[in-house]
Amino acid sequence: MDEVEKQLSAAVHDDDGFIDEAASHLLAAGGKRFRPLVVLLAAEFGDDPGADDVVPSAVVIELTHLATLYHDDVMDEAALRRGAVSANARWDNSIAILTGDYLFAVASRVVAGLGTDAVRIQAETFQRLVHGQIHETVGPRTGDDPLQHYLGVVADKTGSLVATAARFGAMMSGADPGVVSTLTEFGERIGAAFQLADDVIDIASESHDSGKTPGTDLREGVPTLPTLLVQQAARSEDARLLDLLSRPLSDDAEVDEALSLLRTNPALEQARSMVRREADIARSLLDQLAAGPARTALLGVCDRVVTRLG
């Protein structure tokens, strides 16, 4: 991970001081580096975990993730990211968008050195990321199930990149094709589970470590797993909550009221159960892999998803 950090810093560096500052802004803010960690752990299942292309592939994954954050913050009009002022708030939307584009370009430059298969996989992943963002922006169409639409967005926007992280790690270290396939599916499942867990945490926790302003999704009227489950149930006793969830909330008192009602609603426990089920599926996939420290670590990742729920 130390080497990943070094190569990330080197990759985003630009001799133009302003570009260097903007591109390094979110990198310097920290983050869990969850996706590069998945790359490195997946690489342990190959013949050569220390292969030269493993760390650069982790860098590609994290650069791609960082780029999406710049764009997401513009679309969400977010003021904070990772506890720091977002790029769009510090500068403006145009700078944030262009910086995201710059990071995508840097990721493309790095992946070009990893071979044509890696370039193709990265392109397919990028396509899914944008596909998910478009679907999230447009919203479900007439006749679509809003919950299934949302789960599809989560799969594309989050699951796809974590799946590629696991795939890259296994590929670059020379793992058998069956192992690569298993780890790719694991990444897809655990990536979605992490995002859905964040949905629960953003409501259930009085304070959390996402770095986002509490209640952001409620303020923007953005659907999440618990709110969609409330709307799907449409219970008469939830009339007030359903009213609050039907629109963006600009009033702090209404945000607090919505959070209070959600925390006592059965939909929150239903959401927890869905996250646990997804983590259990990811855990079962690991049974197909060789026992050892890497599998134990990935099992720990599954456990972490569940313990984060509270």
Side-chain angles (χ1 to χ4, degrees):
M1 288 300 292
D2 286 344
E3 186 60 29
V4 170
E5 290 295 330
K6 291 176 184 176
Q7 292 194 24
L8 275 169
S9 296
V12 302
H13 174 71
D14 194 279
D15 290 339
D16 183 294
F18 179 80
I19 294 175
D20 186 61
E21 180 183 8
S24 302
H25 180 65
L26 287 185
L27 184 64
K32 295 182 287 290
R33 300 290 191 264
F34 171 60
R35 291 157 187 81
L37 177 64
V38 170
V39 174
L40 299 182
L41 288 175
E44 293 294 322
F45 293 92
D47 293 333
D48 186 7
D52 289 345
D53 289 342
V54 170
V55 168
S57 70
V59 170
V60 169
I61 295 295
E62 186 67 5
L63 287 172
T64 302
H65 174 57
L66 286 169
T68 66
L69 298 184
Y70 280 83
H71 288 178
D72 280 352
D73 285 346
V74 170
M75 299 189 74
D76 297 342
E77 299 180 356
L80 290 175
R81 169 66 71 176
R82 296 178 169 176
V85 176
S86 63
N88 49 299
R90 179 170 178 176
W91 293 289
D92 58 32
N93 284 348
S94 295
I95 293 299
I97 291 168
L98 289 168
T99 303
D101 292 345
Y102 173 82
L103 291 173
F104 278 128
V106 174
S108 297
R109 187 194 76 214
V110 177
V111 81
L114 302 179
T116 55
D117 281 348
V119 171
R120 174 183 54 79
I121 292 166
Q122 172 71 358
E124 291 169 352
T125 306
F126 190 24
Q127 181 178 353
R128 281 191 67 189
L129 289 169
V130 178
H131 187 278
Q133 186 61 69
I134 291 172
H135 274 196
E136 182 179 58
T137 303
V138 172
R141 291 173 288 190
T142 303
D144 287 347
D145 180 329
L147 178 58
Q148 292 305 313
H149 176 272
Y150 177 71
L151 293 176
V153 168
V154 169
D156 282 343
K157 285 192 61 180
T158 306
S160 67
L161 191 57
V162 182
T164 298
R167 187 176 183 181
F168 271 0
M171 279 176 53
M172 302 305 170
S173 67
D176 291 338
V179 171
V180 174
S181 178
T182 297
L183 283 164
T184 301
E185 186 176 355
F186 169 82
E188 182 89 23
R189 293 287 188 172
I190 206 64
F194 253 91
Q195 177 56 57
L196 296 176
D198 278 348
D199 287 357
V200 173
I201 293 165
D202 284 345
I203 290 169
S205 300
E206 296 290 342
S207 62
H208 51 78
D209 61 359
S210 70
K212 293 173 63 177
T213 304
T216 294
D217 291 329
L218 292 172
R219 294 174 194 278
E220 299 297 328
V222 175
T224 61
L225 180 60
T227 63
L228 285 166
L229 289 171
V230 171
Q231 292 169 326
Q232 184 182 66
R235 303 186 312 165
S236 59
E237 57 264 49
D238 294 333
R240 173 56 178 165
L241 179 55
L242 287 166
D243 173 57
L244 291 169
L245 297 180
S246 69
R247 51 189 166 83
L249 302 178
S250 57
D251 183 79
D252 288 344
E254 286 194 329
V255 172
D256 291 341
E257 182 185 3
L259 286 171
S260 179
L261 291 170
L262 282 164
R263 286 167 184 163
T264 58
N265 194 283
L268 189 59
E269 186 54 40
Q270 186 182 355
R272 284 191 177 101
S273 295
M274 290 180 67
V275 175
R276 292 188 189 105
R277 185 163 60 249
E278 199 71 14
D280 285 344
I281 293 171
R283 185 181 287 108
S284 68
L285 288 164
L286 297 176
D287 292 340
Q288 302 174 34
L289 302 176
R295 191 176 77 170
T296 300
L298 290 177
L299 286 168
V301 171
C302 297
D303 292 340
R304 176 61 176 154
V305 170
V306 174
T307 56
R308 290 171 75 228
L309 298 173

